[in-house]
Amino acid sequence: MPYNVRQLASLLALEFRGDGRRAITKVSGWGEADAGSLVFIDGDAARGSFPAGLEPACVLAPPSFADAAAAPFAGGVALILSPNPKLDFAKAALLLHPRPTGGGGRHPTALVAPDAVLGERVELGPYVVVEEGARIGDGTILSARVTVGRGCAIGEDCILHPGVTLYPGAVLGARVVLHAGAVVGADGFGYVPDGGRRWKFPQVGGVVLGDDVEVGANTTIDRGSLGTTRIGEGAKIDNLVQIAHNVEIGRHVVIAAQTGVSGSTVIEDCAVIGGQVGFGDHARVEGGVVIGSKAGVLPGKVVRAGEVYWGVPVRPLREYKRLNALFGRLPGMKAELASLKAELAELKEKLLP
Amino acid sequence: MPYNVRQLASLLALEFRGDGRRAITKVSGWGEADAGSLVFIDGDAARGSFPAGLEPACVLAPPSFADAAAAPFAGGVALILSPNPKLDFAKAALLLHPRPTGGGGRHPTALVAPDAVLGERVELGPYVVVEEGARIGDGTILSARVTVGRGCAIGEDCILHPGVTLYPGAVLGARVVLHAGAVVGADGFGYVPDGGRRWKFPQVGGVVLGDDVEVGANTTIDRGSLGTTRIGEGAKIDNLVQIAHNVEIGRHVVIAAQTGVSGSTVIEDCAVIGGQVGFGDHARVEGGVVIGSKAGVLPGKVVRAGEVYWGVPVRPLREYKRLNALFGRLPGMKAELASLKAELAELKEKLLP
Amino acid sequence: MPYNVRQLASLLALEFRGDGRRAITKVSGWGEADAGSLVFIDGDAARGSFPAGLEPACVLAPPSFADAAAAPFAGGVALILSPNPKLDFAKAALLLHPRPTGGGGRHPTALVAPDAVLGERVELGPYVVVEEGARIGDGTILSARVTVGRGCAIGEDCILHPGVTLYPGAVLGARVVLHAGAVVGADGFGYVPDGGRRWKFPQVGGVVLGDDVEVGANTTIDRGSLGTTRIGEGAKIDNLVQIAHNVEIGRHVVIAAQTGVSGSTVIEDCAVIGGQVGFGDHARVEGGVVIGSKAGVLPGKVVRAGEVYWGVPVRPLREYKRLNALFGRLPGMKAELASLKAELAELKEKLLP
């Protein structure tokens, strides 16, 4: 949805410089910008120079650009001044490229159980399957070949991309986004050994994703075995992540790609988890903790708030970095040890009869 | 399928206490239990107290509860006494919530090649595709948009969840469960370098999953390049696991999420593999070995029976734990080394002319 | 497509020995070979003996077999002599089992937008969806339930296996193979923090896969946020790999299973990356570098050409191996340190008043 510079600045509650009537049609990176683009400068880029010949419609820039910076741009490019250009760029992007919402179209191949309840403007792509008793909120979009199992409940304005599977009984809040191939509510992985063989532990619990959760492509979130797997409001989960049965992910938690969280582990609000991290079962990560990529958290471990962690098993980052540096100096330590030993032997030979 | 306490105890060959006529309709966790629930107490929980006001239909408990324990429960809750309550709870769950089996329904959108052979009671969901020459055993369920490639053979009473893909020629035993998005039989990853470019090594082998194998959501199991990839009877594989070409997984092996097994590696019967473990190619893990999460097994390595292993590369757990503890004491060792050095220098200065 | 020995040798520009009229119908491993099989001997196997009773149609073998080796085979098996039997076996496999190419069939359930442009011989399986403005090159095969989003461009002779999803605007070169469940063009993982909550950074860029790229099952390749994610010509990517937004993968790069590449990282031509490797964002791997499995590359790190790397964080392999060996000797170093300390104390006691 296009805006002119004046309108966009006003919607962002920011000041602008230059021609307020210039039309902005999209956000762009510097490399792809054209005459309809909004681009942004963050702190670092601001120190560099601008690509020759670039003339975007408008630049979101720090206030320090108010006087001096218009000069480098040809043709009178406009500026919108922001104390946090990247954040306002993200907000502007949502205005220029609004999140799609359902228009009520139902592809004739979409199969909906007679007793499923669909809200207004729900949009169903081709080969969608909605099973018995499912409820889908207003404006939600189910893309091609999404499967919604028996008794699922989906909130308003969700977007389920192609090939998503919700097992029976999964519950999604409002504005949830599930990327292609994500699977929500599969059986947890639990077996009880019995001599040589194994009995499946019941996997009959639930799975609930809060409002504004986003889940990446081919990520898997299992249902509870007994009880419920919960993903808190606003949590963002990347591609190919594994969330096991009975895990609780807090609000606004961020989890990067290929991380795995074992059964019954709790990650509290606002924690930030890198990629390829592994969590043993029944661990607890306190709120706001940051854990670096590839780290490992032992089963039952409590990871205390107020630190950044790294390593397998996790240690506070500063400690881990120091240990890792010393690891690299092991050859030196070994040599020093050998030389001390020789020196001592020599001394003893000289001094002892 | 509901039972009363007396019936369930009898089917489990266990004794009960209290009112044998109480109706049990489901298994539950303590947090979700209601008047129709069977719950269980394992050793540890037994030491705690019971939630106030909880009155499930029946509790599976150790024999030590026979006399003393009924008291804490209000309203005459019944007890079934088991030497292994968790195991009997799993068995009870299979009675109360029997595994679904096909009822013979075929959705009109299910496409079946004319020469495919379907057993009795095979159930086909919407948008299923069964290609030429495939054979499907009695009672098997293919959920929505499952694809069964040319010439596949599927045993009896299997359950393939939505979106599963079997490449041509894949073979499944009886009672196999494949969770949503699992892919069985894709090409292995093999190329022969030829100067700058690479030629694809032929990927024309087979893939065979034994009886009672369960495979997690979005897990991938490649066909053999030449020869066959084999998953043994009763093996349980979690979500997002990668099994490469020509791997052999033994019977009753357990593999947790996001583990990867490279080409031609063998994991023998009853081994237990944690999550995010990596196996190089042509390795061999002997029967019954336990490998901790995030461990790494080098190509060609033989991991001997009788131990628990951890680390990258794997070492016996006790050894690895000791090394890891010493890793944490590197700063102390470094300081000690420096102080010894200073002490020795001082001594030399004092004693040598 | 069958050939006789003489024809196949001629097509490979190699010499043969024995009966040139023997018919070859397929490639096989030694374990599965029959009278129509071509098998090969590489350097190592050549030292062993041949399975009793095996009589394949033809053996691809090193020239050293020309005189001596026919003897062990019964029934006059033919030899094709090659300086690189494995490479010529791969080439022969492509002749005997030619890559499938579209025959122009369109399943009646395939849905194609009216303005999509399909080349000649494009083959569409059941439940395929091709959205508005997509263009598909001659001979390309879209298998069952592939989804091609708005405005995608697909080159000639591609093969998209079941359940592949292309988000709108994805671009594939010629002869690209995407295995089942692969997702190309999902949103990158970028959010801008704003106090407690997060705003989605725009994910409006492109994704381009070059000619002859092969992508494994359930692998995910995100679109650029701004700008473009690029996979170079001839790159081979295994199953369950994560390629984040704005990553650039060079030509003929090989990436094994479950590796993850974070945003804006560059992996230059012909690099070879093991499985379960993790790359931080904005890293750069120079051309031809080899990185071992489970390694970790820190954000922003430049991994220089001319080395093999391993470890977390990566170090040159030789260095890492040495460090790892010393890690295993930490108990010895600790003991040595303690004994030196005791020795020194004893010496001081003896010599100092």
Side-chain angles (χ1 to χ4, degrees):
Chain A
M1 186 179 293
Y3 294 93
N4 68 31
V5 171
R6 178 186 304 275
Q7 290 168 323
L8 195 62
S10 164
L11 286 165
L12 297 170
L14 296 172
E15 288 184 35
F16 73 93
R17 297 284 183 277
D19 182 356
R21 294 162 308 178
R22 289 176 75 103
I24 306 174
T25 59
K26 63 179 175 191
V27 295
S28 298
W30 287 87
E32 301 77 36
D34 64 23
S37 294
L38 176 73
V39 298
F40 80 104
I41 299 179
D42 66 14
D44 287 346
R47 281 181 231 115
S49 60
F50 305 115
L54 174 64
E55 191 183 348
C58 183
V59 181
L60 253 166
S64 57
F65 272 63
D67 305 314
F73 298 101
V77 58
L79 290 178
I80 295 178
L81 302 173
S82 160
N84 188 342
K86 188 173 182 184
L87 175 57
D88 282 308
F89 185 75
K91 292 178 179 177
L94 280 172
L95 294 166
L96 292 161
H97 311 270
R99 213 169 162 285
T101 181
R106 283 205 204 184
H107 197 277
T109 61
L111 304 169
V112 179
D115 67 346
V117 179
L118 271 59
E120 295 183 5
R121 293 171 293 107
V122 168
E123 189 166 320
L124 304 180
Y127 305 128
V128 160
V129 176
V130 178
E131 296 184 352
E132 297 73 25
R135 306 175 66 91
I136 303 180
D138 296 351
T140 281
I141 299 173
L142 306 186
S143 310
R145 64 192 159 82
V146 163
T147 300
V148 175
R150 267 176 293 108
C152 285
I154 303 181
E156 299 178 9
D157 293 323
C158 293
I159 303 175
L160 277 59
H161 286 278
V164 162
T165 296
L166 302 190
Y167 275 61
V171 175
L172 310 185
R175 297 172 304 281
V176 169
V177 177
L178 303 181
H179 282 283
V183 176
V184 175
D187 287 2
F189 192 68
Y191 300 90
V192 188
D194 179 21
R197 64 165 290 188
R198 284 163 203 284
W199 294 75
K200 188 176 172 85
F201 192 81
Q203 303 294 332
V204 297
V207 55
V208 178
L209 278 61
D211 296 344
D212 299 299
V213 166
E214 184 158 1
V215 173
N218 286 344
T219 280
T220 58
I221 302 177
D222 287 346
R223 66 194 316 102
S225 51
L226 310 167
T228 302
T229 304
R230 293 182 191 280
I231 313 291
E233 178 194 326
K236 309 298 182 189
I237 299 177
D238 201 352
N239 297 346
L240 294 170
V241 169
Q242 152 72 356
I243 307 287
H245 60 88
N246 298 87
V247 164
E248 295 184 29
I249 304 288
R251 295 181 307 141
H252 304 296
V253 166
V254 172
I255 301 180
Q258 295 177 322
T259 282
V261 187
S262 296
S264 302
T265 280
V266 176
I267 300 180
E268 295 180 356
D269 296 353
C270 301
V272 175
I273 313 297
Q276 298 184 342
V277 176
F279 293 85
D281 54 5
H282 293 87
R284 174 177 292 269
V285 176
E286 294 188 349
V289 155
V290 176
I291 299 184
S293 293
K294 275 193 172 293
V297 173
L298 294 178
K301 167 90 179 171
V302 177
V303 182
R304 297 287 175 202
E307 285 273 7
V308 176
Y309 293 86
W310 202 32
V312 183
V314 287
R315 302 175 198 259
L317 179 60
R318 206 175 325 185
E319 184 187 330
Y320 186 76
K321 277 178 150 171
R322 190 174 172 212
L323 294 180
N324 201 55
L326 288 172
F327 176 68
R329 285 184 218 127
L330 279 178
M333 283 173 71
K334 185 169 183 279
E336 221 168 313
L337 204 50
S339 113
L340 266 184
K341 199 172 174 178
E343 226 176 309
L344 186 58
E346 194 190 1
L347 187 65
K348 282 166 85 172
E349 202 176 25
K350 272 199 192 135
L351 297 176
L352 294 182
Chain B
M1 185 179 295
Y3 293 94
N4 67 31
V5 170
R6 179 185 304 276
Q7 290 168 324
L8 196 62
S10 164
L11 287 164
L12 297 170
L14 296 172
E15 290 183 34
F16 73 94
R17 296 285 183 278
D19 181 357
R21 294 161 307 178
R22 289 176 76 101
I24 306 174
T25 59
K26 62 180 175 191
V27 295
S28 299
W30 287 87
E32 301 77 37
D34 64 24
S37 295
L38 176 73
V39 299
F40 81 104
I41 298 179
D42 67 13
D44 288 344
R47 279 181 232 116
S49 60
F50 304 115
L54 174 64
E55 191 183 349
C58 183
V59 181
L60 254 166
S64 57
F65 272 62
D67 307 315
F73 298 101
V77 58
L79 290 179
I80 295 178
L81 301 172
S82 162
N84 189 340
K86 189 174 184 182
L87 175 58
D88 282 308
F89 185 74
K91 292 179 178 176
L94 280 171
L95 295 166
L96 293 162
H97 311 270
R99 211 168 164 285
T101 181
R106 283 205 205 183
H107 198 276
T109 61
L111 304 168
V112 179
D115 68 346
V117 179
L118 270 60
E120 296 183 4
R121 293 171 293 107
V122 168
E123 189 165 319
L124 304 180
Y127 305 127
V128 160
V129 176
V130 178
E131 295 184 354
E132 298 73 26
R135 306 174 66 91
I136 302 182
D138 297 350
T140 281
I141 299 173
L142 306 186
S143 310
R145 65 191 158 83
V146 163
T147 300
V148 175
R150 267 176 292 106
C152 286
I154 303 181
E156 299 178 9
D157 292 324
C158 292
I159 303 175
L160 276 60
H161 285 278
V164 162
T165 297
L166 301 190
Y167 276 59
V171 176
L172 311 185
R175 297 171 304 281
V176 170
V177 177
L178 303 181
H179 282 283
V183 176
V184 176
D187 286 2
F189 193 68
Y191 300 91
V192 187
D194 180 20
R197 64 164 292 188
R198 283 161 204 285
W199 294 75
K200 188 176 173 87
F201 192 81
Q203 303 294 331
V204 297
V207 54
V208 177
L209 278 61
D211 295 344
D212 299 300
V213 167
E214 184 158 0
V215 173
N218 286 343
T219 279
T220 58
I221 302 176
D222 287 346
R223 67 195 314 102
S225 51
L226 311 166
T228 302
T229 304
R230 292 180 192 281
I231 313 291
E233 178 194 326
K236 310 297 182 190
I237 299 177
D238 201 353
N239 297 345
L240 294 169
V241 169
Q242 152 71 357
I243 307 287
H245 59 89
N246 300 86
V247 164
E248 295 185 29
I249 305 289
R251 295 181 307 140
H252 305 296
V253 167
V254 173
I255 301 180
Q258 295 177 321
T259 282
V261 186
S262 297
S264 301
T265 281
V266 177
I267 300 181
E268 296 180 356
D269 295 353
C270 301
V272 175
I273 313 296
Q276 296 184 341
V277 176
F279 294 84
D281 55 4
H282 293 87
R284 174 176 291 269
V285 176
E286 294 188 350
V289 156
V290 175
I291 299 185
S293 292
K294 274 193 172 294
V297 173
L298 294 177
K301 167 88 179 174
V302 177
V303 183
R304 296 289 175 201
E307 285 273 7
V308 176
Y309 293 86
W310 202 30
V312 183
V314 286
R315 302 174 198 259
L317 179 61
R318 206 175 324 184
E319 183 186 330
Y320 186 77
K321 276 178 149 171
R322 190 175 172 211
L323 294 179
N324 201 54
L326 287 172
F327 176 68
R329 284 183 220 127
L330 278 177
M333 285 173 69
K334 185 168 182 282
E336 222 168 312
L337 204 50
S339 114
L340 267 184
K341 199 172 173 179
E343 226 177 308
L344 185 59
E346 194 191 1
L347 187 63
K348 283 167 83 170
E349 201 176 27
K350 271 198 193 137
L351 297 177
L352 293 183
Chain C
M1 186 180 294
Y3 292 93
N4 68 30
V5 171
R6 178 185 305 275
Q7 290 167 323
L8 195 62
S10 164
L11 286 164
L12 296 170
L14 296 172
E15 288 184 35
F16 72 94
R17 295 286 183 277
D19 181 357
R21 295 163 305 178
R22 290 177 76 102
I24 306 174
T25 60
K26 62 180 175 192
V27 295
S28 299
W30 287 87
E32 301 77 37
D34 64 24
S37 295
L38 176 74
V39 299
F40 81 103
I41 298 178
D42 66 14
D44 287 345
R47 279 180 233 119
S49 60
F50 305 115
L54 174 64
E55 191 184 349
C58 183
V59 180
L60 253 166
S64 57
F65 272 62
D67 306 315
F73 298 101
V77 58
L79 290 178
I80 295 179
L81 302 172
S82 161
N84 187 342
K86 189 174 183 183
L87 175 58
D88 282 308
F89 185 75
K91 293 179 178 176
L94 280 171
L95 295 166
L96 293 161
H97 311 270
R99 211 169 164 286
T101 181
R106 282 206 205 183
H107 197 276
T109 61
L111 303 168
V112 180
D115 68 346
V117 180
L118 271 59
E120 296 183 3
R121 293 171 293 107
V122 167
E123 189 166 320
L124 304 180
Y127 305 128
V128 160
V129 176
V130 178
E131 295 185 354
E132 297 73 24
R135 306 174 67 90
I136 303 181
D138 297 352
T140 282
I141 299 173
L142 306 186
S143 309
R145 64 192 159 83
V146 163
T147 300
V148 176
R150 268 176 291 106
C152 286
I154 303 180
E156 299 178 8
D157 292 324
C158 293
I159 303 175
L160 276 61
H161 286 278
V164 163
T165 297
L166 302 189
Y167 276 60
V171 175
L172 310 185
R175 296 171 304 281
V176 169
V177 177
L178 303 181
H179 283 283
V183 175
V184 176
D187 287 1
F189 192 68
Y191 300 91
V192 187
D194 180 20
R197 65 165 291 188
R198 284 162 203 285
W199 294 76
K200 188 175 172 87
F201 192 80
Q203 303 294 333
V204 297
V207 55
V208 178
L209 278 61
D211 295 345
D212 299 299
V213 167
E214 184 158 1
V215 173
N218 286 343
T219 279
T220 58
I221 302 176
D222 288 345
R223 66 196 314 103
S225 51
L226 311 167
T228 302
T229 304
R230 291 181 192 282
I231 313 291
E233 178 192 326
K236 309 298 182 189
I237 299 178
D238 201 351
N239 297 345
L240 294 170
V241 170
Q242 152 72 356
I243 307 287
H245 59 89
N246 298 86
V247 163
E248 294 183 29
I249 304 289
R251 294 181 309 140
H252 304 297
V253 166
V254 173
I255 301 181
Q258 296 177 321
T259 282
V261 187
S262 297
S264 301
T265 281
V266 176
I267 300 180
E268 295 180 357
D269 295 354
C270 302
V272 175
I273 313 296
Q276 298 184 341
V277 177
F279 293 85
D281 54 5
H282 293 88
R284 174 176 292 271
V285 176
E286 294 188 350
V289 156
V290 175
I291 299 185
S293 292
K294 275 194 172 290
V297 174
L298 293 178
K301 166 90 179 172
V302 177
V303 183
R304 298 287 175 204
E307 286 273 8
V308 176
Y309 293 86
W310 202 30
V312 183
V314 286
R315 304 173 196 259
L317 179 61
R318 205 174 325 184
E319 184 187 329
Y320 186 77
K321 275 178 151 170
R322 190 177 172 209
L323 294 180
N324 202 54
L326 286 171
F327 176 69
R329 284 183 220 129
L330 279 177
M333 284 174 69
K334 185 168 182 281
E336 220 167 315
L337 203 51
S339 113
L340 267 182
K341 198 172 174 179
E343 225 176 312
L344 185 60
E346 195 191 359
L347 187 64
K348 283 166 83 171
E349 202 176 25
K350 272 197 191 136
L351 296 176
L352 292 182

